[in-house]
Amino acid sequence: MSFLENEMFLLALTFTVFLASRLLQKRTGLVFLNPILVSIVVLIAFLSFAGVSYETYSGSCRYIDFWLKPAVVALGVPLYRQLEAIKKQILPLLVAELAGCVVGLVSVVLIAELLGASREVVLSLAPKAVTTPIAMEVSRAMGGQPALTASVVICTGIFGGMAGFRMLRMSRVSSPIASGISIGTAAHAVGTSVAMEKGYRYGAYSSLGLTLNGLFTALLAPFVLELLGYAV
Amino acid sequence: MILQCAVLFVFMALGEFVVYATGIPVPSSIIGMLLLAASLKMRLVREMWVSKVADFLVKNLGFFFVPAGVGGMNCFGIISDQWLPVVGASVASTFLIIACTGRIHQITRKYLSGRKHELFRE
C-alpha cells in the first residue's frame, strides 16, 4: 500500500484542498469557482491520477461525512432565530413550498423523459433538489440508484448556489424571505451555505426551505411519481 | 464545548430514536433539527448552550459535502451515457423551482396582506 492511501494523508489533503479552493474564490471573486466544486474536481483528478480508489478515499473521509448529520441538526439554531418571522407568514410559506416541491418533482421527471433518460436515471434524478440523506432514501425506495442521486444532488446544490441569486433576479423575486426559501428548496444545504454568506437571514430562510422541501419530498414523492407512471 | 456537543448529539440521538420508534421515512437529522428548534423555542434548551458548535457547523456546511461529491467519480459511466437528460433536467428543474417558489411566495403574501387591509377597512 502506497503512502497516498494513508488515512491521515487523505484527510489532510481534503482539508488543504478545500482551504486552498476557498482562498482561490476569495482572491478571484469568481462565482463559478465554488470551493465545493473546485475541491471535488481537484480531489477526483488526484485520486484518478494517483490510482487511489474511491472506496479507500471514502474510508478515510468518513470522519468528514459523519458531520453531515449533526450539521443538519445544527440548522435548528438559525431556524429557531427566525421563528417569529416565519410564524407571521406561515400560509404563504406552506403554499410556496408545496408548489416548489411538486414543480420540482414533476419538471425533472418530464424533462428527463423528454431527453431520453432511462427509467433508473429518471428515478435517481427525481429527488435531486433535496438534501443528500433524504434524496438517497427516496431514490433507494423508488428504485433509483442512490450513488447517482448523491452526485446529482451535490451538483444541483452547487449549481443552485452559484446561479440561484441570478435566477431570482431574472424571475423578479426580491424579498429576502422569498429568495431564501427558493434557494433552500432548489439547492438544499449546499445552496444554504452560499445563502449564509450572502446574509444570515437568507441562510436561515434557506434552511427553512430545505427542511420543508425535504419533508414534502419524502412524503409526496411516492404519490407524485405514481401519478407520473412510476409505480414501485 | 462538551456541553455544546452534548446538546447537539442528544438531539441527533432523539431524531434517530423517533425514526427507530415510528419507522417514518424522514431522515433522523431533519427530525433532530425540528426538535432542537422547538426545544429552543420552549426554553427547554438555552441558545448559548448550543450556539457555538451550531454556528461553527452551519458556517462550514459546504465542506462536509466534499467526500460525498467525490463519490461521483464512481458514476462517470452512467452520467456520460446519459449526460443530456441528467444535466438538462437538473438545470431546467432547478430554475423552475426557484422561479415558482419565489414568485408564488411573493404573490400569496401580497394577496393575503391585501385581504387583511380590506378586513381592517370594513
Side-chain angles (χ1 to χ4, degrees):
Chain A
M1 194 178 97
S2 84
F3 180 72
L4 297 180
E5 295 183 340
N6 181 290
E7 199 170 75
M8 291 305 160
F9 167 72
L10 289 172
L11 271 174
L13 182 75
T14 308
F15 276 99
T16 322
V17 166
F18 190 77
L19 192 70
S21 313
R22 211 162 57 176
L23 207 67
L24 179 72
Q25 189 180 43
K26 232 176 234 163
R27 285 279 161 83
T28 58
L30 295 171
V31 192
F32 70 89
L33 288 180
N34 174 291
I36 307 168
L37 179 67
V38 172
S39 304
I40 292 171
V41 171
V42 170
L43 287 167
I44 290 183
F46 171 82
L47 295 179
S48 325
F49 187 71
V52 179
S53 73
Y54 174 67
E55 284 63 36
T56 309
Y57 175 76
S58 72
S60 37
C61 287
R62 64 178 186 275
Y63 306 106
I64 301 174
D65 254 343
F66 167 82
W67 286 96
L68 262 178
K69 277 184 166 194
V72 172
V73 175
L75 285 171
V77 173
L79 191 60
Y80 156 74
R81 290 181 185 147
Q82 299 298 325
L83 273 182
E84 286 310 311
I86 293 164
K87 233 166 53 185
K88 271 187 224 147
Q89 37 183 314
I90 189 78
L91 198 60
L93 272 173
L94 289 179
V95 173
E97 283 300 326
L98 199 62
C101 170
V102 174
V103 165
L105 283 168
V106 173
S107 65
V108 78
V109 167
L110 293 184
I111 297 169
E113 266 179 1
L114 200 74
L115 295 174
S118 66
R119 182 189 161 89
E120 190 189 23
V121 168
V122 169
L123 292 173
S124 306
L125 287 178
K128 61 112 189 59
V130 298
T131 196
T132 329
I134 306 185
M136 288 175 79
E137 278 313 309
V138 173
S139 170
R140 197 189 330 266
M142 296 306 302
Q145 224 193 71
L148 175 61
T149 303
S151 37
V152 174
V153 163
I154 288 166
C155 292
T156 300
I158 294 169
F159 172 68
M162 281 174 5
F165 282 98
R166 179 162 303 162
M167 292 175 175
L168 286 168
R169 274 197 301 278
M170 281 166 67
S171 334
R172 283 176 292 137
V173 175
S174 51
S175 85
I177 187 160
S179 311
I181 59 164
S182 307
I183 298 281
T185 305
H188 57 91
V190 178
T192 303
S193 70
V194 178
M196 261 315 161
E197 280 160 28
K198 174 121 180 153
Y200 193 79
R201 271 170 79 202
Y202 287 99
Y205 292 135
S206 185
S207 59
L208 178 70
L210 89 88
T211 311
L212 288 177
N213 195 26
L215 281 171
F216 284 155
T217 300
L219 301 173
L220 297 180
F223 304 104
V224 174
L225 286 170
E226 200 177 326
L227 283 176
L228 293 168
Y230 289 93
V232 185
Chain B
M1 212 55 205
I2 299 293
L3 169 68
Q4 305 264 327
C5 288
V7 173
L8 188 72
F9 281 98
V10 163
F11 282 93
M12 182 80 250
L14 282 174
E16 296 269 335
F17 177 74
V18 170
V19 172
Y20 167 80
T22 61
I24 50 171
V26 180
S28 55
S29 53
I30 296 278
I31 310 251
M33 177 213 279
L34 294 173
L35 289 175
L36 176 59
S39 306
L40 285 164
K41 177 70 190 161
M42 294 188 293
R43 305 265 175 257
L44 295 172
V45 173
R46 288 217 213 138
E47 192 182 336
M48 56 183 279
W49 292 353
V50 69
S51 59
K52 265 189 209 151
V53 69
D55 287 340
F56 169 77
L57 289 174
V58 168
K59 222 180 129 212
N60 296 295
L61 196 56
F63 175 68
F64 304 113
F65 283 94
V66 170
V70 174
M73 68 190 278
N74 279 353
C75 301
F76 272 155
I78 194 157
I79 292 177
S80 60
D81 278 348
Q82 305 196 26
W83 65 271
L84 183 65
V86 171
V87 176
S90 303
V91 167
S93 160
T94 300
F95 182 75
L96 285 172
I97 296 175
I98 287 186
C100 285
T101 312
R103 291 298 296 170
I104 290 177
H105 180 266
Q106 285 189 350
I107 291 166
T108 328
R109 193 174 164 197
K110 215 186 216 167
Y111 174 73
L112 286 175
S113 64
R115 274 221 331 214
K116 219 179 272 167
H117 289 308
E118 270 169 36
L119 287 176
F120 278 125
R121 248 180 271 141
E122 278 161 10

